[in-house]
Amino acid sequence: MATKSTNQKAWFFVVPVIILVAFNALIPLMTVVNYSVQETFGNNIFFFEGVKWFEQVLHSERFHASLLRQLSFTGIILAIEIPLGIAIALAMPKKGFWVSVCLVLMALPLLIPWNVVGAMWNIFALPDIGLLGRIINGIGFDYNFTQNPTAAWFTTILMDVWHWTSLVVLLAYAGLSSIPDAYFQAAKIDGAGAWAVFRHIQLPKMKRVLTIAILLRFMDSFMIYTEPFVLTGGGPGNTTTFLSIDLVKIALGQFDLGPAAAMSLIYFLIVLLVCWVFYTLMMKDEAQ
Amino acid sequence: MRKYKWLVPTLYILFLMLPIYWLLNMSFKTTNEILGGFTLWPQEFTLVNYITIFSDPTWYIGYVNSITYVVINTVISVSVALPAAYAFSRYNFLGDKHLFFWLLTNRMAPPAVFALPFFQLYSAVNLFDTHIAVALAHGLFNIPLAVWILEGFMSGIPKELDETAYVDGYSFPRFFIKIFIPTIAAGIGVAAFFCFMFSWVELLLAKTLTSVAAKPIAAIMTRTASTSGYELGLLAAAGALTIIPGAIVIYFVRNHIAKGFALGRV
């Protein structure tokens, strides 16, 4: 990596980015902070309430429930997508025509608008006219994702695996293809088996890209809104109401701005905290 | 065991294609056939759903709207990210690390948190329901991402390139445009691809910031689903058409895509 020189004039290069991002980030964030400490009865009249909403949100059963659902969802999809993505990347061809074919086809789900993904899976999983619904019912399970919570969870998770595993595959593949051939030849001479090669050569080389993969998948799955909203609408009941869905319900459905804003900030802080830990780990790794 | 290795990606791709096939299958069926029962392929093949979309302005204008704001967003994001990424990759300056992390935090902000304040902000500056509003709003997460990717690509280019150019008498702007930008063309392509991708697939903000004039296609789909009965065939056709722009863009960057997903950091 190139060594950097100190130059304070570099700030001028960053100014346009700061202005654009600050306009989009700071003003709305201040609006949220404003709402989070005030009470309103309409007509633009506000009363200062201090930390009342934060206490209310932190003690509410509803918030705990959707946070728990969110954490379970994120945990489950990470546990499936990361190992699966690595396995597929390991099995991919190394070079030639088929690499491009694989990459293009695998990237396809990533470029479909999120509500189309939801609508597509809705059609795909309908118990009467959907292919997936028909197959599962045909095997002998009673499957209806609009009525049965287990089926709803199964469908939401399968949809996310379908949608995002490719991201992990592409990242892991990028990491794998940066390993020089000499490493594998050396391993062969030493008589290392497939597991030893994976454990001591491939996995360490993929460490950095896998950190990015986990970081991106954590962020995006923690913010998930559109796909489950279109697929299940958060139901049946509240069983697939994740944090973002709950937040939009409170903010736009019930128009409880104070609690919604307080919840927004707590939500944002959780994401920030986890990402900060990952980012620090990644930077420490890069510095080595 | 090694002989059957190809099965893994093949089965995975098959799994990826099934829902897409089902969507296409539905889009070529008549409403009667869809409601009539379960068929693996269209029995009465019809293009009527696609014809409806291409002949009804309330439908096809949605594609025009989506592509317009996505392109504006991509151009803005990449052009402001270029100098910033150069600064981050070449120089140390006061607060650079904090600034970089602050930028990234915006990629982490859940859109649901910002939906309502964005609506108020863009209404206040009279940009509500314009393409530029959506393009700027998507900059919230696309600009930091573009900076991150470009910084990764630029750091891979030795500083000697810059120094040689100055010795040869290039001024900074001339060096940047004539030498540096062509050198990182692949990085710019990948950054543009990512901006396109995330702006194209995002809907919550795009829907919040538009009502009529700049409504994205994806939002028009949800409206149609609720007001004119559940026309699954039409919905499927509209959905199938949203896959095409993405497929075209992927094809162009196919050789750089793997490196791009690693944000240039491999």
Side-chain angles (χ1 to χ4, degrees):
Chain A
M1 192 182 266
T3 47
K4 297 182 191 177
S5 54
T6 303
N7 185 349
Q8 301 302 343
K9 281 184 202 148
W11 262 96
F12 288 109
F13 285 163
V14 193
V15 167
V17 163
I18 295 180
I19 292 173
L20 277 179
V21 176
F23 177 74
N24 273 321
L26 295 186
I27 301 174
L29 192 64
M30 281 322 294
T31 318
V32 176
V33 172
N34 244 336
Y35 283 144
S36 73
V37 291
Q38 296 187 85
E39 165 77 290
T40 179
F41 300 104
N43 298 330
N44 267 327
I45 305 167
F46 287 91
F47 305 94
F48 184 72
E49 285 284 5
V51 294
K52 179 177 144 195
W53 300 130
F54 289 91
E55 281 172 355
Q56 187 185 320
V57 169
L58 285 173
H59 289 121
S60 92
E61 300 269 317
R62 180 174 170 175
F63 178 71
H64 294 166
S66 35
L67 182 62
L68 187 68
R69 277 192 290 269
Q70 184 68 69
L71 288 170
S72 327
F73 177 75
T74 300
I76 293 173
I77 63 107
L78 281 176
I80 298 176
E81 289 173 14
I82 302 290
L84 184 66
I86 296 174
I88 294 167
L90 284 172
M92 261 174 67
K94 291 278 177 296
K95 45 179 93 71
F97 171 72
W98 290 106
V99 177
S100 293
V101 174
C102 280
L103 290 179
V104 169
L105 287 177
M106 284 179 186
L108 209 53
L110 302 173
L111 277 128
I112 300 175
W114 293 344
N115 72 326
V116 178
V117 171
M120 185 193 283
W121 272 81
N122 193 322
I123 297 175
F124 186 55
L126 282 174
D128 45 351
I129 56 168
L131 186 60
L132 181 72
R134 270 287 171 132
I135 293 174
I136 297 179
N137 279 314
I139 300 172
F141 292 98
D142 185 23
Y143 171 85
N144 187 337
F145 71 93
T146 53
Q147 282 161 18
N148 181 336
T150 321
W153 266 80
F154 171 77
T155 317
T156 317
I157 287 166
L158 194 66
M159 173 177 70
D160 203 77
V161 168
W162 177 87
H163 193 182
W164 289 108
T165 305
S166 295
L167 184 78
V168 185
V169 176
L170 290 168
L171 278 162
Y173 181 75
L176 284 176
S177 49
S178 73
I179 305 175
D181 267 344
Y183 281 51
F184 295 110
Q185 281 154 10
K188 216 172 177 181
I189 294 166
D190 291 347
W195 171 252
V197 170
F198 174 71
R199 177 67 191 78
H200 296 290
I201 299 178
Q202 291 169 319
L203 199 60
K205 278 282 172 183
M206 279 195 292
K207 199 172 148 203
R208 186 181 296 171
V209 280
L210 285 180
T211 320
I212 300 177
I214 295 171
L215 185 68
L216 284 175
R217 281 317 298 130
F218 171 80
M219 286 185 329
D220 289 338
S221 69
F222 220 77
M223 301 177 208
I224 194 167
Y225 171 79
T226 315
E227 303 97 307
F229 182 76
V230 176
L231 182 69
T232 64
N238 276 328
T239 45
T240 52
T241 302
F242 302 119
L243 274 180
S244 274
I245 298 180
D246 205 21
L247 181 61
V248 173
K249 267 187 195 165
I250 297 174
L252 301 178
Q254 308 165 346
F255 229 75
D256 282 335
L257 291 182
M263 185 176 158
S264 296
L265 289 177
I266 296 169
Y267 183 9
F268 191 25
L269 282 177
I270 297 174
V271 183
L272 271 189
L273 189 72
V274 177
C275 291
W276 182 77
V277 171
F278 269 99
Y279 180 79
T280 320
L281 285 177
M282 200 165 82
M283 285 299 133
K284 230 167 98 186
D285 194 47
E286 224 161 82
Q288 278 173 6
Chain B
M1 154 103 189
R2 178 144 297 197
K3 227 167 121 190
Y4 298 108
K5 220 174 165 187
W6 60 272
L7 257 176
V8 178
T10 312
L11 284 177
Y12 175 63
I13 288 174
L14 202 69
F15 164 63
L16 292 185
M17 292 303 129
L18 272 181
I20 298 180
Y21 167 72
W22 204 246
L23 190 76
L24 287 174
N25 178 19
M26 286 289 178
S27 74
F28 291 119
K29 287 181 180 178
T30 58
T31 310
N32 276 341
E33 192 187 335
I34 293 173
L35 297 178
F38 178 82
T39 43
L40 280 174
W41 54 84
Q43 307 292 321
E44 316 155 42
F45 186 86
T46 175
L47 285 173
V48 73
N49 296 317
Y50 289 93
I51 293 168
T52 313
I53 290 173
F54 283 113
S55 56
D56 181 354
T58 56
W59 269 109
Y60 66 72
I61 203 72
Y63 288 98
V64 179
N65 287 336
S66 289
I67 292 184
T68 310
Y69 71 70
V70 169
V71 170
I72 298 176
N73 170 272
T74 307
V75 171
I76 295 179
S77 303
V78 174
S79 38
V80 297
L82 268 173
Y86 183 80
F88 282 121
S89 80
R90 289 294 189 259
Y91 301 114
N92 287 317
F93 49 94
L94 197 64
D96 54 353
K97 302 219 164 48
H98 301 286
L99 191 62
F100 201 68
F101 184 69
W102 173 70
L103 282 176
L104 287 184
T105 60
N106 295 301
R107 175 66 182 72
M108 301 161 192
V113 169
F114 281 139
L116 186 66
F118 263 46
F119 171 75
Q120 295 172 324
L121 172 64
Y122 282 95
S123 302
V125 293
N126 277 327
L127 282 174
F128 178 71
D129 203 17
T130 59
H131 300 111
I132 192 85
V134 185
L136 285 175
H138 283 175
L140 174 72
F141 45 83
N142 271 349
I143 294 173
L145 190 71
V147 173
W148 201 16
I149 295 174
L150 287 171
E151 196 267 338
F153 274 89
M154 286 176 184
S155 297
I157 290 172
K159 227 187 155 185
E160 285 71 37
L161 180 82
D162 311 28
E163 282 152 10
T164 321
Y166 297 141
V167 172
D168 288 347
Y170 277 85
S171 66
F172 177 75
R174 231 181 110 221
F175 154 73
F176 199 75
I177 293 164
K178 289 261 170 160
I179 298 179
F180 199 69
I181 288 186
T183 316
I184 51 150
I188 295 178
V190 169
F193 165 77
F194 272 83
C195 293
F196 184 96
M197 167 176 154
F198 281 110
S199 182
W200 179 253
V201 297
E202 203 283 336
L203 187 74
L204 186 58
L205 290 180
K207 207 168 106 182
T208 312
L209 290 176
T210 54
S211 63
V212 185
K215 206 173 177 66
I217 178 61
I220 292 177
M221 279 175 62
T222 37
R223 181 212 62 189
T224 311
S226 49
T227 53
S228 58
Y230 209 63
E231 292 183 304
L232 275 180
L234 203 56
L235 197 70
L241 287 173
T242 62
I243 302 178
I244 296 172
I248 295 172
V249 179
I250 300 177
Y251 181 78
F252 279 117
V253 293
R254 68 191 178 288
N255 294 324
H256 304 290
I257 200 169
K259 195 177 179 207
F261 272 94
L263 308 175
R265 277 155 203 284
V266 177

